[in-house]
Amino acid sequence: LTAAWVLDECASSDADALFAQATPGEGVGSPAHPVLLRVSVSEQIDRVARFVRDHVERACSHAPLSWFSLVAGSALERNAEVDLPVEMPALSPEASFELHQAEVALFAQRDAYRRRRTARRRERQEFELTHPDAYRADAASQASSIARASDAAAHASARTAVPTLRVTLFGGVEAHIGGQLVDPRLLSRRKAKTLLALLVLSHGRETSRDRLSGLLWPDRELEASRRNFYSVWSHLKRTLEVDGRCPYLIRSPTGCRLDARLVSSDAYDFEALTRSLLFGTSDKEDWEHLYARVSGEFAEELAPYEEHNEVIDALRDRYRVQLVDGLVAASTRLGMQGEARGSLWFAREALGRDKTREDAYVALMEAQIASGQRSAALDTYFSCRRFLTEQLGIDPSPRIVDLYCSVIETEETLV
């Protein structure tokens, strides 16, 4: 515990103040010489850090972490994020994982304690109401305001133990912790938003720091991008703090990731939605609800502010293709079920998302024919043929030509 206090003092102090030079003596051999003093402080901090590292490693390999080991290990990890003249020894990936697990368990224990304390207070109040006593009533009247304030504080604190982090990426990046919107000013830095988006899109998988640094600053040298990365990482951790700690971001010696158990995102909802569109749902095609989500919640693209990030650009294109695939499949399936209106809506949405897909033109023509919109079906055919011939230099497929012929052949011959 003392070692943790020492490391916490290092993390919270300014580096220049920590390594402040004492008044130099006459010679280099003087104990107060600034160079020797700096080296001595560095060696002492390094010795304490290695002691903590070795202790936490041993504790993780033999038994669950004690509270003292948890505090010391957390202090060591905080120092690794501070720009000090001393290079902190890193924990092994296994020890880092165990440390984070212990931190999450500690949050849960605190929450359970607060809930029990609130429940006991409520039981005592109910007992006092059902068992009136003059002496107790006099004492209660003097402390009623304090009790009300304490109850309010207990209710507020009971909700702060590891709440879910909700990150929205479609149309822009926003974060909610326990349903409360994170101040947009704290997420105004573009690189911080991009880093959060990259971690969310990794689905809890670990990504190396060098890989993330290269994605955030592709035109800079690796060493410079690393320094920038540590600054953005620290800023993001402060932005997502809960009770002075950030349980969502995990950094190990090999990379960084989000704790997938504590994070949800509309990107995950989007993937589930496209699967429902492609393969149907267990219900009898709740297509109105699916269409409302497509046209509302996912009307905008993924992280539209980011235009030059290879991972986000690739995922944006993949999501667009997946969504159009799902819309075309849903339109075809609804048409086979006799839901002409739903088939028409999904086909229109598919073509509005991507006007280069011939299967979207086919789906729209089929839906229009089923709805009795023959002139609209002809317009769709000519738009498709014009795009294919002028832009790609190819002829329409036999399928869409057959649909065109089916419309023409139904016309009555004028005599």
Side-chain angles (χ1 to χ4, degrees), residues 2 43 109 118 322 396:
T2 306
E43 290 177 349
Q109 291 173 8
T118 303
Q322 288 179 350

Side-chain angles (χ1 to χ4, degrees), residues 4-114:
W5 291 339
V6 171
L7 293 177
D8 272 333
E9 182 66 21
C10 296
S12 60
S13 301
D14 182 75
D16 293 333
L18 181 64
F19 294 90
Q21 299 179 5
T23 304
E26 294 296 331
V28 175
S30 172
H33 191 274
V35 176
L36 296 181
L37 181 62
R38 181 177 292 267
V39 172
S40 176
V41 173
S42 300
E43 290 177 349
Q44 293 177 37
I45 295 176
D46 181 70
R47 192 179 305 121
V48 172
R50 291 184 183 280
F51 163 76
V52 171
R53 191 270 313 274
D54 295 340
H55 175 77
V56 173
E57 295 280 357
R58 286 195 302 271
C60 289
S61 61
H62 292 89
L65 283 175
S66 67
W67 183 79
F68 300 100
S69 301
L70 171 60
V71 172
S74 301
L76 181 63
E77 287 205 329
R78 284 194 294 274
N79 269 268
E81 301 172 4
V82 179
D83 187 16
L84 291 176
V86 181
E87 183 176 357
M88 290 290 139
L91 294 172
S92 66
E94 295 79 9
S96 182
F97 175 76
E98 291 292 336
L99 181 65
H100 182 72
Q101 293 286 95
E103 290 176 347
V104 173
L106 181 60
F107 273 109
Q109 291 173 8
R110 289 175 177 171
D111 181 48
Y113 168 74
R114 289 163 179 158

